[in-house]
Amino acid sequence: SRDEKIAIIGSGLIGRSWAMLFASVGYKVCIYDILSEQIDSALKEILVQLKKLEESGLLRGKISAVEQHKLITGCTDFKECVAGAKHVQECVPESIELKRKVFEQLDAVADDKMVLCSSTSTMPASSFTEHLTHRAQCIVAHPTNPPYYAPLVEVVPAPWTNGVVISNTKSLLEEIGQTPVVLKKEVLGFVLNRIQYALLNECWRLVQDGTISVEDVDKVMSDGLGMRYAFMGPLETAYLNADGWKSYSERYADTIFNVAQDFGPTPRMEGETLEIVHNDLASRIPLDKLNERRAWRDARLAGLAKLKKEM
Ligand code: NAD
């Protein structure tokens, strides 16, 4: 990877994270943004973050924070940023018009080999690449926030994505220490958010019908289900809870089916329940303290990531 280049389009939260991850294994990273001040602040903030990570022993890769930072440069010219890159990671805001526009720009300057990869959380690549000359090189790699500590990346090819582009994207993500999962086909919301939304909906319903408090329903995850889920998924959890899946099915399939019949329609996250959920959280975590709480969260996620590596 040493002499190869990665281009990042959009230098917000996710663009900065990708830049750090690619530089951690020695890639030359070039960052582009429509706002030049965003590029400047990205380069400054990345240095601060890399140094902090180094001090706390959490820096990824084998080279120092300063060396990693030297690999990251900014560029105010789109074409120059992309030129010679083996992989372009698009990180502009989540809007279909913007994704279309940026992928048309990429299509105009791409060579026949570079991977054109979007960080989109929800939009299938087929919805913004169909008309492009280089559409076979387009793919989605949806990271999990914060990417430095939560390594999962959903790789979602469009129906026309070339197989080599899929395998190269997967290998690149593994090389930088992330955990790629490749979806076999496009699906609305991808997989992580479909599962997350199922959970959010049920938490919402349980608060809405007065079964449990906001604080306690969150505890069910953080001190219950989440303890296991940090190490294994729900399917393996169930497998271990009985003597394999056949035995789990014999014991619990009817119960699960019957309980699931009771879930009811999909709730809308608005109205009275929205007031209850928001006010309850705001009383414990005021809106002007969100950054402190995010730092608290990231420190814990870093600790968990370290534990998972050591075990
Ligand atoms: P952000 O708002 O923090 O950053 C977006 C950046 O793109 C800004 O710096 C902006 O100036 C720049 N930009 C806007 N238009 C541009 C253009 N035409 N060309 C180049 N740069 C442009 O957004 P973010 O949170 O980093 O999200 C980026 C993408 O990553 C989105 O698609 C989002 O859905 C996805 N994503 C976000 C998260 C998350 O938790 N934030 C997680 C996974 C994926």
Side-chain angles (χ1 to χ4, degrees):
S1 73
R2 300 307 160 239
D3 251 354
E4 291 173 305
K5 175 180 170 185
I6 307 284
I8 308 274
I9 307 299
S11 61
L13 182 74
I14 293 301
R16 294 168 194 203
S17 301
W18 279 123
M20 288 163 62
L21 291 171
F22 287 120
S24 73
V25 298
Y27 280 108
K28 286 190 205 157
V29 180
C30 190
I31 299 179
Y32 169 85
D33 202 289
I34 33 161
L35 304 174
S36 64
E37 63 269 25
Q38 270 290 87
I39 304 178
D40 296 340
S41 88
L43 292 173
K44 276 192 203 123
E45 200 207 293
I46 287 171
L47 182 60
V48 172
Q49 281 200 40
L50 288 172
K51 283 185 170 165
K52 259 196 210 157
L53 289 162
E54 190 168 56
E55 276 163 25
S56 50
L58 293 166
L59 186 71
R60 294 222 208 165
K62 296 190 177 84
I63 46 177
S64 73
V66 169
E67 291 298 316
Q68 291 188 24
H69 188 251
K70 274 191 204 152
L71 291 167
I72 307 172
T73 52
C75 182
T76 51
D77 185 87
F78 185 88
K79 196 172 173 186
E80 198 185 312
C81 176
V82 173
K86 77 161 180 176
H87 179 102
V88 182
Q89 190 70 36
E90 168 276 308
C91 312
V92 305
E94 190 78 347
S95 124
I96 191 73
E97 288 77 30
L98 258 184
K99 302 286 180 196
R100 283 219 176 94
K101 191 184 125 191
V102 171
F103 272 78
E104 275 165 15
Q105 270 181 289
L106 286 171
D107 198 39
V109 299
D111 64 26
D112 290 337
K113 276 169 84 181
M114 55 180 61
V115 172
L116 308 175
C117 188
S118 173
S119 303
T120 173
S121 312
T122 52
M123 292 182 287
S126 60
S127 64
F128 54 91
T129 63
E130 185 169 13
H131 55 301
L132 305 181
T133 310
H134 297 281
R135 67 179 196 168
Q137 293 158 245
C138 297
I139 194 162
V140 165
H142 168 224
T144 309
N145 199 37
Y148 211 84
Y149 307 118
L152 184 88
V153 182
E154 289 183 277
V155 176
V156 194
W160 43 78
T161 306
N162 187 321
V164 176
V165 170
I166 303 174
S167 56
N168 286 349
T169 304
K170 185 167 178 265
S171 312
L172 177 65
L173 291 166
E174 281 164 351
E175 187 190 357
I176 63 172
Q178 299 304 89
T179 310
V181 293
V182 181
L183 272 56
K184 294 181 192 170
K185 58 177 190 175
E186 291 186 325
V187 60
L188 192 65
F190 309 147
V191 171
L192 182 139
N193 276 327
R194 286 177 83 100
I195 295 174
Q196 173 163 245
Y197 297 164
L199 269 170
L200 274 173
N201 280 336
E202 188 50 20
C203 291
W204 197 269
R205 277 187 291 239
L206 289 165
V207 170
Q208 187 160 37
D209 69 13
T211 305
I212 193 166
S213 70
V214 173
E215 193 169 4
D216 283 354
V217 81
D218 269 355
K219 271 185 207 154
V220 170
M221 284 307 295
S222 60
D223 285 358
L225 293 172
M227 295 295 287
R228 315 191 279 220
Y229 290 171
F231 295 91
M232 68 183 80
L235 294 176
E236 186 181 342
T237 298
Y239 185 80
L240 297 183
N241 277 357
D243 300 315
W245 251 103
K246 299 269 164 66
S247 120
Y248 189 84
S249 168
E250 258 168 45
R251 285 191 227 173
Y252 302 115
D254 281 345
T255 308
I256 293 172
F257 186 85
N258 291 334
V259 172
Q261 298 304 299
D262 191 50
F263 282 170
T266 306
R268 294 236 171 236
M269 291 168 178
E270 58 193 23
E272 200 189 334
T273 310
L274 175 60
E275 295 299 317
I276 293 171
V277 172
H278 178 81
N279 293 341
D280 187 279
L281 276 152
S283 71
R284 286 176 283 132
I285 310 162
L287 288 179
D288 60 358
K289 295 274 188 302
L290 289 186
N291 276 337
E292 282 152 52
R293 188 67 175 172
R294 288 183 185 123
W296 177 93
R297 172 199 68 189
D298 289 353
R300 268 142 200 85
L301 284 173
L304 182 60
K306 208 169 165 185
L307 176 69
K308 285 186 69 154
K309 257 190 205 130
E310 284 160 5
M311 284 184 84

